[in-house]
Amino acid sequence: MAKDQILVTGGAGYIGSHTVVELQASDYPVVIVDNFANSDRRVLDRIEAISGVRPEFVEADCTDMTAMRKLFDDFDIKCIINFAADKAVGESVKEPVKYYRNNLVTLMNLLDMMREHGTKGLVFSSSCTVYGEPDENPVAENTPIKRATSPYGNTKQICEEMIADVVASGVGLNAVMLRYFNPIGAHPSGIIGELPNGVPNCLVPFMTQAAIGARDVLSVFGNDYNTPDGYCIRDFIDVVDLAKAHVAAVERVLDDKNSAQVEVFNLGTGKGVSVMELITAFERATGVKVPYKIAPRRNGDVEKVWGDPSKANDILGWRAETPIEETLRNAWNWQLKLRERGII
């Protein structure tokens, strides 16, 4: 029996493209909508190269309601995975209006269209930033939500509240909200990976670019935190592991036994790794030194956070399995492939 059609907003982006590959590996027909604000249209060719299937594609901005209405009229969408959002903590502190406009209006438009067209399932790309600066680690789904430390984190908190309110209104929507920790790495094939437009805001792509000589030096923001080595601690999760969790979430929201409910799952490894430990692991995994310097703390950064993924392990049947050194080797292989192609 044919599976339901899945709309992946921001599907040409980093996490989105890896998720499309995993969806197509599970025989889901996919429609991608993307405006290439922070992605590359060549990703569509690369998805096809990996999966043997070219997803349907619509170039549009999800904040454009006219474009969204046409998209929903043209396709029979049964479930949405929403990746269409700006995601850099530091940038959100400098440009908060950009983040509120894009992240909130996108979700409002999608929720409106889902209500009008009777779309059943929503998988929302949330973030561990909703926990703010937690009092204790690891954080679980019932850890109290504290004030966000950045506009980016606040948009995720607001979006989660919007989804819960819409589900509670009785429209028949079934939603799963996935609180990611820190996705890193690349597809083992080296065909897709993280390549932000311009200067990377995320640690690993900046680190690999510094290691290959495309950037002079990696800035490490702060070494005086209240952590064992003084550096920020995060829960780094392999992007392919993360993508597979979205397939499990889609299956859950489309299951007829689950209706009109909101569920929240942490997606992480359950282990905290400091920024310096990650750099050391990269050098150990690749044999390549990373030029870095210590810079002042960055506004909006949480000191330490890592997650308890046991709920996702138990209910979704999912777990993070890829060792961090393998993840970092995949990230480096992706960087080498980019150099071979003359991209960076």
Side-chain angles (χ1 to χ4, degrees):
M1 186 172 67
K3 291 193 175 183
D4 293 320
Q5 194 165 50
I6 313 300
L7 174 65
V8 183
T9 70
Y14 174 44
I15 304 172
S17 60
H18 287 80
T19 299
V20 170
V21 166
E22 297 304 322
L23 285 167
Q24 294 190 155
S26 296
D27 296 324
Y28 282 101
V30 174
V31 180
I32 292 175
V33 59
D34 205 300
N35 65 355
F36 300 117
N38 195 32
S39 58
D40 187 327
R41 66 179 64 251
R42 289 172 291 186
V43 167
L44 301 173
D45 298 327
R46 295 172 188 156
I47 290 171
E48 183 178 12
I50 295 171
S51 66
V53 178
R54 191 173 188 86
E56 297 274 6
F57 174 72
V58 175
E59 184 170 356
D61 190 318
C62 293
T63 63
D64 181 347
M65 181 57 106
T66 301
M68 291 302 97
R69 181 161 282 114
K70 183 177 188 310
L71 187 153
F72 275 78
D73 287 342
D74 289 346
F75 296 96
D76 184 21
I77 303 299
K78 299 300 184 184
C79 178
I80 297 174
I81 305 179
N82 181 28
F83 295 111
D86 291 313
K87 64 175 186 175
V89 167
E91 183 186 50
S92 78
V93 174
K94 297 175 182 176
E95 300 186 60
V97 174
K98 173 187 176 185
Y99 276 68
Y100 286 113
R101 178 181 296 113
N102 188 32
N103 296 7
L104 301 187
V105 174
T106 286
L107 179 60
M108 285 188 281
N109 285 350
L110 292 173
L111 289 170
D112 264 344
M113 289 297 93
M114 294 179 78
R115 177 181 54 81
E116 288 184 16
H117 290 261
T119 305
K120 178 183 179 181
L122 173 64
V123 177
F124 179 66
S125 168
S126 192
S127 166
C128 65
T129 56
V130 302
Y131 295 112
E133 188 75 66
D135 294 326
E136 295 182 353
N137 283 288
V139 293
E141 290 82 357
N142 59 359
T143 295
I145 300 296
K146 299 177 71 174
R147 180 177 174 83
T149 61
S150 69
Y152 165 71
N154 198 30
T155 67
K156 293 300 184 182
Q157 289 182 351
I158 295 169
C159 285
E160 286 197 5
E161 291 169 357
M162 288 168 56
I163 292 167
D165 287 344
V166 170
V167 172
S169 73
V171 298
L173 174 63
N174 200 28
V176 163
M177 302 189 291
L178 300 177
R179 292 174 179 165
Y180 310 162
F181 284 75
N182 289 73
I184 61 172
H187 195 272
S189 66
I191 294 175
I192 57 173
E194 188 169 13
L195 181 60
N197 292 337
V199 179
N201 284 302
C202 297
L203 173 60
V204 171
F206 205 117
M207 180 169 67
T208 60
Q209 289 182 22
I212 208 167
R215 306 284 170 192
D216 291 337
V217 64
L218 169 69
S219 293
V220 176
F221 297 106
N223 65 346
D224 57 350
Y225 286 97
N226 182 29
T227 60
D229 64 3
Y231 297 92
C232 282
I233 293 176
R234 295 291 183 266
D235 186 342
F236 296 100
I237 178 173
D238 186 272
V239 67
V240 175
D241 287 343
L242 184 66
K244 291 176 179 177
H246 290 78
V247 180
V250 164
E251 291 169 352
R252 188 153 182 88
V253 296
L254 291 177
D255 188 336
D256 290 336
K257 292 181 292 185
N258 303 314
S259 61
Q261 65 177 356
V262 179
E263 294 180 289
V264 179
F265 297 96
N266 283 339
L267 297 183
T269 66
K271 179 181 179 182
V273 175
S274 80
V275 170
M276 190 53 61
E277 287 174 332
L278 190 77
I279 292 171
T280 301
F282 174 84
E283 293 179 340
R284 188 169 57 245
T286 65
V288 178
K289 298 294 290 183
V290 178
Y292 70 87
K293 66 177 181 180
I294 307 302
R297 292 188 184 192
R298 185 172 56 181
N299 289 336
D301 277 343
V302 170
E303 180 174 86
K304 53 191 172 186
V305 63
W306 62 95
D308 175 0
S310 57
K311 184 180 176 184
N313 298 163
D314 295 341
I315 296 177
L316 295 181
W318 169 90
R319 65 185 61 251
E321 298 178 332
T322 309
I324 194 165
E325 290 192 5
E326 180 179 338
T327 297
L328 292 168
R329 279 193 294 272
N330 288 337
W332 181 238
N333 181 47
W334 163 244
Q335 183 66 66
L336 293 173
K337 296 289 187 183
L338 290 174
R339 174 56 58 87
E340 287 175 11
R341 299 177 189 131
I343 296 172
I344 195 166

